[in-house]
Amino acid sequence: MPDVAASPAAPHVTRREDYRPPEWLVPDLALDFTLDAARTLVRARLEVVRNGDHKAPLRLDASGLHILDVRLDGETVNYWFENDVIRINVPGDSGTIETEVAIAPKTNTQLMGLYESGGMLCTQCEAEGFRRITPFPDRPDVLTRYRVRMSGHKAAYPILLSNGNPVASGEDGKAGTHWAEWEDPFPKPCYLFALVAGDLVANRDNFVTRSGRTVDLAIWVREGDLPRTEHAMASLKAAMKWDEQVYGREYDLAMFNIVAVDDFNFGAMENKSLNIFNSRYILADPDTATDMDYDGIAGVVAHEYFHNWSGNRVTCRDWFQLSLKEGFTVFRDQSFSADMGSEAVKRIEDVRLLRAAQFPEDAGPLAHPVRPDSYIEISNFYTATVYNKGAELIRMLHTILGPEKFRAGCDLYFASHDGEAVTCEDFVRAMEEASGEDLAQFRLWYSQAGTPKVKAQLVQEGAVARVLLEQEVPPTPGQKAKQPMPIPLKLALFGARTGAKHDDRLFILDGAKEELVIDGLTEPAVLSVNRDFSAPVIVETDRGAADLAFLSGRDDDPFARYEAMQQLMLDTLKQAVSNGEAAHEPVIEAVRETLANQALDPAFIAEAVLLPSEAFIGDHMKLVDPEAIHRAREALRAALGTTLESLWRDAYATHVANRYEYNPAAKGARRLRTIALGYLAAAGAADAPAIAKRQYDAADNMTDRQGALGVLANGDAPEREAALAAFYDRYRNNGLVLDKWFSTQALSTRADTPAAVEALARHPDFTLANPNRLRSLVGAFSVNQRAFHDASGRGYAFLADMILAADKLNPQTAAKLVPPLGRWRRFGEDRAKLMRAALERIVATPGLSKDVYEQASKSLA
Ligand code: PHE
Ligand code: ZN
């Protein structure tokens, strides 16, 4: 048993069922900041109004604030300050509260509230950071009009930004200081408040909305970064246009600002008209950013922009409803990215991410519903379940209702809840009302955790095929028994002889067990099921290698083709792990056919010929044996590399460009080329390191350069050290690229990776204080299955050390590193013991944050 006395004293659990409307509202707020990195003064004037018939005092959240003054209607007032809450008796039904507090941005290492990053001051308020700036009812259902004044040194902070529109500015009486005032006409929850003060320059552009209004756009960065903002700007304009065309949503202010900061806990934040971004999702040029980075930027810029409607105009009533804005907005950004590039490849990427991040979460001790029921620390619920499974729920609604009814539901949702803070239930009800469909059973997708398992079996007798379908939703923490959910399955039958499609339909599996009868077949059929990944479920079929190989070459749904290939590879690898060997030929032949198929998009081929990751293979074993999985996968890679060597060489030679371009075709070519190089290296081709080094040296873009580096980093050719050193020298002053240098080594498949990572943690460029750097080394290492699960347990001890050290600075980011340790049940006894020991050591550490406490203690349960 962990030492309970050392844990945060009985951490408070917040429950969804305890939700009550706010007792006091704050329709208006005036803020006045006297900015200084060491000590910023914040004066606030809140107009408060009693909400309903009650006698309760006004309740203001206040965390880490040095309180200087509190007044009611101009008079000093008695207040109670306990557990980060200020209570004030307000005798009337309304009043004016004035507070003055001091805060210290410079020492704010949590990166929540007002903090310093690269010399500028910026804010992060979601979920509960506003209480670290000023006393306020810090909950999303209190909507307020903001007027913000700030003053500061003109030399340090020439640019002063906040939400809404600039209304006034000027010089102060005091020498060297200036001020600005901003006003946001849209009432908003305090988690959307933002302020930025810094020495910044802008890439400026504009967008004319469909009703003819001109919106001034600005992306603010440090001067030297300006040339790297073009892609973000192009993405923003494309997103604005797309939201008008696809959702009928127009931007609603005259100005839209984005600021890039280097120290940021997440990807980006949708503050009203002042989005603040992790610089990795803004800055890109061909020399420093990969195609994946470019895609990430387009997706995240769109995501934050789309929040203006799905999140800001209509917001969340409480944090249990987080997926209301996040699941919906992820679905929207996924659809946008699909429309901008290859729909098939985008779907494959999204499903790969869901399976890598969400399925394990749903299968482990931290499993929770898309709409959780309780939390200790809400920051721990910004998860793949809330975001990515949440997006799959919206996608299923889109599939079940069809695009027209889905759009009508969205229109109704926005029209009826504009300016409100609402629930997931409100969203489903709007879909129901607009479509006339009954979604009662669908609501289970919000309340039941766990990835459903679907068994699908095709039984054919002559012309009649019966498809037998069964579903089971596994038990998860706190949820033993589950009800069947409506699972939309796109399925088709293909003739095994002719390849003709005999049936293609959407079947909603809503019972535990159902049977679908399809008549009129003229040949033996092969079943294609969960096409386009129409439901976020695990499908089990009895299809053998021949059927899977057939589908991988013939299915007319590209996702289903990819999936058939993955299944074939997975079946082969599982067999190799359990038996020590397996027949490689079916995989090799299927890959050969795909590689040689000139009709296919190279970007698709690249995805299809990739073997499932070691972690994904582990997820499909009863107990994970990391070494056996590594060996089996490397053996299959080598066999593919050797047997198809001439095809890989062809692919490598063909997909070469004269000059860098960023477009779907060029991206696909680059990806396939580096994957081909990886197979040549796996084959042990003597010239592979030299080819990689040549690619590295000749590259005119980061995708090719990092691709070559990654291939070299997995091997032990002399070119390896040369390339790593060259990369470091070239980019030592670019933090975002240096992150790649760390993560490439942390992801290496070499046996000495645990030792290399320990050494890198002592490298002068490593720091726990920057979340990107921490994730680039420690986060990357923890998903490198073979290295992290080194039998010695040193990987677990290293991760625990890092979590404990990071927790002292930044609990939110430290807590994100815990889940890999929580997977101990999936490993053999020796490893499980070592993993538990690491978790127990964490839980027993005095002074632990509630963030890490929640993740680590739940992981032990
Ligand atoms: N709301 C942000 C998003 O767009 C994520 C975020 C959460 C950012 C918390 C910072 C802090 O998904
Ligand atoms: Zn979001």
Side-chain angles (χ1 to χ4, degrees):
M1 266 297 284
D3 177 2
V4 180
S7 329
H12 176 74
V13 177
T14 305
R15 292 178 205 285
R16 187 164 58 83
E17 65 197 20
D18 291 344
Y19 173 84
R20 300 289 177 276
E23 284 155 338
W24 290 85
L25 302 177
V26 190
D28 283 285
L29 172 64
L31 288 170
D32 186 350
F33 291 83
T34 308
L35 296 168
D36 182 277
R39 188 170 190 268
T40 288
L41 285 177
V42 187
R43 276 176 291 266
R45 202 180 65 239
L46 298 71
E47 304 302 338
V48 302
V49 178
R50 195 181 298 271
N51 187 32
D53 189 13
H54 64 82
K55 295 249 153 30
L58 172 69
R59 185 186 187 291
L60 306 174
D61 298 294
S63 172
L65 306 175
H66 181 58
I67 295 172
L68 302 170
D69 194 25
V70 180
R71 285 164 188 271
L72 168 61
D73 295 329
E75 305 291 332
T76 305
V77 67
N78 274 332
Y79 63 90
W80 294 263
F81 188 19
E82 209 181 2
N83 298 330
D84 290 351
V85 176
I86 295 176
R87 287 192 170 77
I88 307 170
N89 270 325
V90 180
D93 283 340
S94 65
T96 301
I97 300 285
E98 287 160 289
T99 63
E100 182 172 358
V101 304
I103 52 180
K106 206 175 186 67
T107 54
N108 182 353
T109 57
Q110 297 184 29
L111 314 183
M112 285 292 279
L114 181 68
Y115 66 94
E116 192 183 43
S117 176
M120 73 174 109
L121 298 179
C122 63
T123 53
Q124 173 54 43
C125 294
E126 187 178 7
E128 299 181 333
F130 194 67
R131 63 188 61 185
R132 294 167 51 81
I133 296 175
T134 193
F136 199 77
D138 189 355
R139 42 187 291 167
D141 56 354
V142 172
L143 304 186
T144 305
R145 266 181 309 272
Y146 282 67
R147 188 176 178 101
V148 178
R149 184 183 199 275
M150 61 197 119
S151 66
H153 280 284
K154 202 172 176 174
Y157 310 123
I159 301 300
L160 302 172
L161 305 171
S162 190
N163 317 84
N165 304 311
V167 287
S169 63
E171 309 280 322
D172 262 343
K174 258 193 290 166
T177 66
H178 69 153
W179 58 272
E181 264 182 49
W182 290 72
E183 212 173 59
D184 184 354
F186 290 95
K188 63 170 176 288
C190 66
Y191 80 86
L192 292 173
F193 165 76
L195 172 157
V196 172
D199 189 0
L200 301 165
V201 294
N203 175 356
R204 291 180 186 275
D205 207 328
N206 64 67
F207 178 82
V208 181
T209 69
R210 61 173 180 177
S211 67
R213 286 179 308 103
T214 299
V215 183
D216 291 324
L217 311 175
I219 300 182
W220 297 91
V221 295
R222 273 180 308 242
E223 185 155 20
D225 288 331
L226 203 54
R228 293 196 278 150
T229 55
E230 285 306 318
H231 178 60
M233 181 61 86
S235 303
L236 174 60
K237 287 159 68 179
M240 294 178 85
K241 181 124 215 103
W242 187 90
D243 213 17
E244 291 185 349
Q245 288 171 340
V246 179
Y247 280 84
R249 298 292 120 201
E250 194 174 319
Y251 188 63
D252 51 12
L253 280 162
M255 184 173 267
F256 188 80
N257 288 302
I258 289 178
V259 180
V261 305
D262 290 337
D263 304 281
F264 199 79
N265 285 343
F266 287 82
M269 181 62 212
E270 70 266 22
N271 317 299
K272 183 79 185 186
S273 81
L274 179 52
N275 288 0
I276 297 180
F277 272 63
N278 186 325
S279 55
R280 69 174 296 212
Y281 289 113
I282 291 295
L283 302 178
D285 63 18
D287 185 54
T288 58
T290 62
D291 292 333
M292 227 205 276
D293 295 329
Y294 272 71
D295 292 349
I297 288 168
V300 177
V301 167
H303 178 98
E304 306 310 330
Y305 173 73
F306 295 156
H307 268 316
N308 189 53
W309 276 97
S310 49
N312 300 2
R313 290 287 289 256
V314 182
T315 194
C316 300
R317 186 192 74 173
D318 56 75
W319 291 121
F320 296 105
Q321 318 299 329
L322 184 57
S323 196
L324 173 73
K325 73 177 177 82
E326 296 304 347
F328 188 21
T329 303
V330 170
F331 173 68
R332 278 152 54 70
D333 83 59
Q334 288 177 348
S335 314
F336 165 77
S337 296
D339 284 355
M340 298 294 121
S342 158
E343 192 180 347
V345 170
K346 177 64 179 158
R347 189 66 186 133
I348 290 168
E349 290 169 351
D350 290 339
V351 172
R352 187 181 286 139
L353 175 67
L354 185 82
R355 284 171 165 164
Q358 200 277 326
F359 279 21
E361 185 167 90
D362 235 355
L366 298 173
H368 53 276
V370 167
R371 184 189 54 212
D373 295 313
S374 72
Y375 58 76
I376 293 175
E377 170 54 58
I378 183 56
S379 295
N380 287 330
F381 286 78
Y382 287 74
T383 59
T385 297
V386 167
Y387 275 67
N388 302 77
K389 186 176 182 179
E392 295 297 324
L393 267 53
I394 306 300
R395 184 182 295 270
M396 284 192 285
L397 286 172
H398 185 272
T399 302
I400 292 170
L401 303 179
E404 285 84 24
K405 285 179 177 173
F406 177 81
R407 169 66 196 272
C410 292
D411 289 351
L412 180 62
Y413 168 73
F414 289 125
S416 44
H417 299 298
D418 190 9
E420 294 179 3
V422 302
T423 62
C424 297
E425 171 58 26
D426 291 313
F427 184 86
V428 177
R429 199 178 306 122
M431 286 289 152
E432 222 165 24
E433 278 173 20
S435 68
E437 303 284 336
D438 177 359
L439 296 171
Q441 193 194 3
F442 188 85
R443 287 168 168 80
L444 290 167
W445 278 104
Y446 282 94
S447 59
Q448 293 194 153
T451 308
K453 292 208 172 58
V454 172
K455 272 204 195 125
Q457 201 193 351
L458 173 68
V459 183
Q460 186 174 359
E461 282 165 37
V464 181
R466 290 184 302 137
V467 183
L468 313 175
L469 295 162
E470 269 179 64
Q471 66 163 298
E472 191 198 314
V473 189
T476 47
Q479 294 186 339
K480 281 218 179 64
K482 308 275 170 95
Q483 289 166 256
M485 307 207 276
I487 298 177
L489 292 171
K490 288 186 186 168
L491 46 85
L493 296 183
F494 289 91
R497 262 201 311 272
T498 65
K501 189 155 73 175
H502 287 285
D503 196 82
D504 191 349
R505 67 175 74 196
L506 174 68
F507 181 77
I508 317 269
L509 170 64
D510 48 16
K513 207 169 166 173
E514 298 200 26
E515 187 178 311
L516 168 69
V517 180
I518 298 166
D519 204 349
L521 296 178
T522 51
E523 57 182 321
V526 180
L527 172 67
S528 172
V529 59
N530 207 21
R531 296 153 64 74
D532 194 33
F533 204 69
S534 55
V537 300
I538 295 167
V539 177
E540 281 167 30
T541 71
D542 56 359
R543 295 171 302 182
D547 285 355
L548 294 170
F550 168 88
L551 289 170
S552 82
R554 305 291 183 84
D555 202 312
D556 63 343
D557 172 41
F559 180 82
R561 274 173 101 122
Y562 160 84
E563 185 75 338
M565 181 81 92
Q566 285 286 297
Q567 192 64 54
L568 178 58
M569 290 168 164
L570 186 63
D571 291 349
T572 306
L573 288 163
K574 276 167 64 178
Q575 206 192 2
V577 173
S578 344
N579 303 355
E581 57 172 18
H584 289 156
E585 286 72 27
V587 172
I588 292 172
E589 287 320 305
V591 170
R592 184 202 301 280
E593 191 183 329
T594 296
L595 254 184
N597 188 338
Q598 305 286 332
L600 293 174
D601 175 4
F604 171 80
I605 297 177
E607 301 302 330
V609 303
L610 268 184
L611 292 177
S613 72
E614 291 179 13
F616 187 71
I617 301 163
D619 291 341
H620 290 81
M621 312 289 305
K622 268 219 174 63
L623 282 183
V624 187
D625 180 345
E627 284 299 325
I629 289 173
H630 178 73
R631 277 195 307 273
R633 188 173 181 278
E634 287 304 304
L636 182 53
R637 262 169 68 73
L640 279 162
T642 315
T643 318
L644 305 179
E645 185 171 332
S646 63
L647 282 175
W648 298 122
R649 286 192 190 272
D650 284 352
Y652 192 79
T654 315
H655 296 289
V656 62
N658 292 325
R659 187 174 65 72
Y660 172 81
E661 268 182 291
Y662 174 76
N663 59 47
K667 271 172 18 187
R670 278 190 287 274
R671 181 139 165 91
L672 183 50
R673 193 159 184 260
T674 289
I675 286 170
L677 175 61
Y679 274 111
L680 289 176
D687 58 348
I691 298 174
K693 187 62 173 33
R694 221 179 304 132
Q695 173 172 323
Y696 182 91
D697 290 334
D700 65 351
N701 65 83
M702 179 53 82
T703 306
D704 287 343
R705 191 170 291 125
Q706 199 193 350
L709 186 69
V711 170
L712 289 171
N714 288 339
D716 46 19
E719 287 88 345
R720 177 185 201 265
E721 298 314 314
L724 282 169
F727 193 92
Y728 179 80
D729 284 343
R730 181 176 178 132
Y731 295 111
R732 57 185 310 165
N733 294 318
N734 183 320
L736 294 176
V737 186
L738 217 46
D739 291 339
K740 301 181 192 301
W741 185 78
F742 279 98
S743 58
T744 299
Q745 296 175 77
L747 291 169
S748 169
T749 54
R750 281 163 55 113
D752 65 355
T753 295
V757 167
E758 288 164 13
L760 283 168
R762 295 187 295 268
H763 191 281
D765 287 307
F766 180 72
T767 169
L768 297 163
N770 177 265
N772 288 356
R773 187 58 47 82
L774 182 62
R775 286 186 285 253
S776 76
L777 182 66
V778 183
F781 172 65
S782 72
V783 297
N784 181 343
Q785 181 164 282
R786 181 198 189 200
F788 178 58
H789 293 283
D790 188 275
S792 66
R794 68 196 284 181
Y796 311 144
F798 171 77
L799 182 59
D801 290 345
M802 290 290 136
I803 290 168
L804 289 170
D807 191 41
K808 297 205 174 81
L809 300 172
N810 187 334
Q812 226 178 70
T813 297
K816 285 255 178 261
L817 297 171
V818 174
L821 286 171
R823 307 189 56 217
W824 54 271
R825 270 202 184 76
R826 309 273 309 111
F827 291 80
E829 213 177 300
D830 295 347
R831 286 189 174 86
K833 235 194 218 152
L834 293 163
M835 292 170 86
R836 288 186 58 95
L839 285 166
E840 273 157 10
R841 176 155 68 89
I842 292 173
V843 174
T845 301
L848 203 62
S849 69
K850 62 177 182 167
D851 306 60
V852 170
Y853 173 76
E854 176 171 41
Q855 297 300 77
S857 61
K858 286 183 177 173
S859 294
L860 276 168

